[in-house]
Amino acid sequence: MRTTDLAKVRATLWAAADELRANSKLTPVQYRDPVLGLVFLAYAENRFEGIRAEVESRASARNPATVADYKAKSVLYVPDESRLSYLVGLPEGDDIGKAVDDAIKAIEATNPELKDILPRGYQKLERPTLIELLRLFAPLPTQLEGDAFGFIYEDFLSNFAAQEGKGGGEYFTPYSIVRLIVEILEPFQGRVFDPACGSGGMFVQCAKFVERHHDNPTRKLSVFGTEKTEDTVPLAKMNLALHGLSGDIRQANSYYEDPHRAVGAFDYVMANPPFNVDKIKKEQLAGDKRFPFGLPKADNGNYLWIQQFYAALAPTGRAGFVMANSAGDAGHSEKEIRKQLVESGAVDVMIAIGSNFFYTVTLPVTLWFLDKAKLGTPREDTVLFIDARHIYNQIDRAHRDFMPEQIEFLANIVRLYRGEDVETVGGSEALLAKNFPDGQYADVAGLCKVAKRAEIEAQGWSLNPGRYTGSAVVDEDDEDFAVKLEELYEEFTLLSNEADALRAKVDAAVQGILDA
């Protein structure tokens, strides 16, 4: 689908959200669900109709097509009354709200994994608003197909994340970041775990990775997730169902609860956990096997997450996750944990990502990759550092992402490091030829560097890629002063807030002594 056409569809659909915002009593959190419910019905019909002819061509009067035949193709069976095209064609005098609620019930009855997770309550919407929404959504099944439809669903999640601020961002990780993590992890088959799964985007991209390599994700992958926020669990289940995946998603707080008995249980771990969380009750974690390197003394949850990801891996497992930059250089007890992690030989790849990739935090982040399978290989004593801060596509002043060829190029650096064949279907040939003309891995100043454990120890066990790769050459014209200023101001604000909180504690302690 052409980018210009996709942009028109996105604009039309976001107008639907504006319709609800302007003409209903619902808050953004409340109107998110009915809009995503209609996108769900449209997407389900689109996928169903896409393979219907193929499935029915193999059926007969004696052996008609069944729900199982569609599920074997990773597609939901959609009853007549649950199709958006049917709802749009209803007579004007019908109770449209009841019809949509009945459509939801019917698709859940046919697909038990959807039971009680789809949005309801369409009868509560003002009738003119619901009719206008259906009119806007009606062309979807004929306008979009395949990945384009999936992109629209993810685009809605990202837009709601932007609208809802920090809370919304907890359930959405930008597509290009997830795609990069998946391309480096290479989850061809096995058990995949995300203990902070949000809307399940990591799982969906794993499935698409398997499909791109010409296999069936339903047969190859088992997915397991934990999500703290109860309202977000249905989003994840909807997202999985749309892509033909069934997963075990539990509502739980991953700091204190381990519903999947995760230690040593998974082939792949992927996550975008909340950064720098404080006030965790560490006394409840004593003796927990998910924290094999000990509990950090700092009031910060980063190294609790990092250890969870490490501990959940099977002996040949790989992990890829997003982490605050500060974790790569954190000192004291966190440094000791990081030292043990490096000495375990599991730290494989570290990638610095520039600012403005996320909707809810402008600061840059680091992607961490662990690989227990590299023990006993030539890579056991090394870590690959990549500085990707100068690689991005500027969407607008405040938002960036990666182009497909950039994602493929970064993943190919890792493949060269591992001694694997590169992939070029995404258009990364020119970048590869420019940086690796011999077709072999080599350190490139400002881009990538393989460091031995002794070098990492000499750097105080730092895992900050910039310390190893050196400075990249960037034209001054490429520096967005406003973005840089915003980034520095946010960092200044965070430090100021910390200073204010510390001053209050000191004042209280001193006053307590004086009062005594």
Side-chain angles (χ1 to χ4, degrees):
M1 186 175 189
R2 290 200 311 254
T3 303
T4 51
D5 293 337
L6 190 58
K8 289 177 184 176
V9 174
R10 291 169 69 190
T12 299
L13 293 184
W14 197 242
D18 285 336
E19 172 73 24
L20 276 178
R21 184 164 47 197
N23 299 306
S24 79
K25 301 173 183 177
L26 302 178
T27 66
V29 175
Q30 291 172 318
Y31 66 65
R32 175 196 74 192
D33 291 337
V35 170
L36 286 175
L38 293 179
V39 174
F40 181 93
L41 292 180
Y43 192 1
E45 180 177 353
N46 172 276
R47 287 175 62 87
F48 175 79
E49 293 294 346
I51 66 154
R52 186 177 180 183
E54 177 189 346
V55 171
E56 293 189 350
S57 69
R58 298 175 181 173
S60 64
R62 183 184 290 269
N63 294 300
T66 66
V67 173
D69 293 327
Y70 285 92
K71 290 193 174 177
K73 296 285 186 181
S74 300
V75 170
L76 291 173
Y77 180 84
V78 185
D80 290 348
E81 64 269 34
S82 298
R83 295 168 196 169
L84 199 66
S85 54
Y86 165 82
L87 295 170
V88 171
L90 288 173
E92 213 167 286
D94 282 16
D95 186 337
I96 304 298
K98 182 177 185 302
V100 179
D101 282 337
D102 288 344
I104 295 294
K105 292 176 185 175
I107 198 169
E108 285 188 348
T110 313
N111 303 276
E113 67 270 26
L114 294 176
K115 182 173 173 55
D116 297 329
I117 70 165
L118 297 182
R120 284 179 166 74
Y122 286 90
Q123 294 176 78
K124 298 177 183 177
L125 296 180
E126 291 84 350
R127 177 183 171 83
T129 298
L130 181 55
I131 291 174
E132 176 63 13
L133 288 178
L134 288 171
R135 185 191 69 77
L136 286 168
F137 282 70
L140 274 182
T142 56
Q143 286 181 327
L144 298 172
E145 60 183 35
D147 279 349
F149 221 134
F151 180 79
I152 287 295
Y153 186 81
E154 292 172 2
D155 187 59
F156 258 67
L157 290 179
S158 69
N159 269 302
F160 281 119
Q163 290 289 320
E164 293 177 40
K166 186 175 180 181
E170 290 178 358
Y171 64 75
F172 182 79
T173 306
Y175 166 82
S176 64
I177 295 291
V178 183
R179 175 75 184 268
L180 177 58
I181 292 173
V182 169
E183 288 297 319
I184 290 173
L185 279 189
E186 300 178 317
F188 287 104
Q189 63 179 4
R191 292 161 56 89
V192 184
F193 179 46
D194 183 346
C197 70
S199 61
M202 300 278 187
F203 300 134
V204 170
Q205 289 307 318
C206 284
K208 290 182 178 180
F209 176 86
V210 173
E211 289 173 350
R212 284 195 298 274
H213 291 85
H214 313 295
D215 219 322
N216 187 326
T218 306
R219 291 198 302 264
K220 292 293 184 178
L221 299 176
S222 301
V223 301
F224 302 81
T226 306
E227 169 54 37
K228 178 172 66 72
T229 307
E230 188 173 2
D231 289 345
T232 307
V233 172
L235 282 180
K237 292 183 176 180
M238 286 168 63
N239 209 2
L240 292 181
L242 281 176
H243 294 87
L245 292 170
S246 57
D248 186 353
I249 310 296
R250 309 276 186 95
Q251 191 273 319
N253 186 325
S254 290
Y255 295 120
Y256 312 112
E257 301 170 89
D258 183 18
H260 297 293
R261 298 184 179 181
V263 175
F266 296 100
D267 301 295
Y268 302 97
V269 175
M270 309 174 63
N272 173 26
F275 302 158
N276 303 320
V277 175
D278 58 10
K279 309 302 183 202
I280 298 167
K281 299 172 183 176
K282 284 183 282 191
E283 65 274 9
Q284 296 184 22
L285 308 180
D288 193 319
K289 293 182 179 179
R290 295 178 300 155
F291 310 109
F293 303 129
L295 301 179
K297 293 179 181 177
D299 191 10
N300 187 308
N302 291 342
Y303 275 84
L304 296 176
W305 283 114
I306 292 169
Q307 290 190 76
Q308 281 195 52
F309 305 146
Y310 170 85
L313 293 177
T316 58
R318 287 178 177 174
F321 51 92
V322 186
M323 187 47 62
N325 276 0
S326 58
D329 283 313
H332 306 294
S333 62
E334 293 170 307
K335 177 181 176 181
E336 176 57 31
I337 294 171
R338 190 170 62 250
K339 172 189 174 184
Q340 293 181 65
L341 190 62
V342 174
E343 289 179 333
S344 77
V347 180
D348 192 28
V349 182
M350 303 290 297
I351 303 181
I353 304 293
S355 59
N356 292 59
F357 272 75
F358 290 78
Y359 281 87
T360 55
V361 57
T362 62
L363 296 178
V365 299
T366 304
L367 304 186
W368 293 49
F369 295 90
L370 311 179
D371 186 357
K372 287 189 175 179
K374 79 187 184 88
L375 274 65
T377 74
R379 297 186 357 256
E380 179 178 349
D381 187 48
T382 63
V383 176
L384 170 63
F385 293 94
I386 299 175
D387 189 344
R389 289 175 296 177
H390 57 291
I391 299 174
Y392 56 84
N393 169 51
Q394 195 75 39
I395 302 171
D396 53 40
R397 191 193 66 80
H399 297 100
R400 295 172 174 173
D401 66 3
F402 289 124
M403 300 292 286
E405 61 269 25
Q406 293 171 330
I407 294 172
E408 186 178 74
F409 171 64
L410 292 170
N412 276 333
I413 298 175
V414 180
R415 293 185 183 109
L416 289 172
Y417 161 66
R418 290 173 178 161
E420 300 172 353
D421 292 336
V422 299
E423 297 186 6
T424 55
V425 294
S428 64
E429 298 98 322
L431 287 168
L432 282 170
K434 176 183 176 182
N435 290 279
F436 305 98
D438 297 332
Q440 302 290 325
Y441 176 82
D443 292 342
V444 178
L447 175 63
C448 58
K449 160 79 174 176
V450 173
K452 291 186 176 295
R453 194 175 303 168
E455 297 175 70
I456 298 172
E457 181 179 7
Q459 290 285 351
W461 302 103
S462 170
L463 290 177
N464 179 344
R467 283 180 176 248
Y468 301 92
T469 61
S471 299
V473 178
V474 180
D475 292 337
E476 289 187 9
D477 291 344
D478 289 343
E479 290 286 334
D480 187 327
F481 175 75
V483 169
K484 187 66 175 177
L485 180 62
E486 182 180 14
E487 176 186 321
L488 291 172
Y489 180 70
E490 178 159 343
E491 188 170 6
F492 170 75
T493 302
L494 290 172
L495 292 171
S496 298
N497 291 342
E498 290 175 9
D500 290 342
L502 184 59
R503 174 62 184 268
K505 290 179 181 178
V506 172
D507 288 348
V510 171
Q511 194 61 48
I513 294 171
L514 294 175
D515 290 344

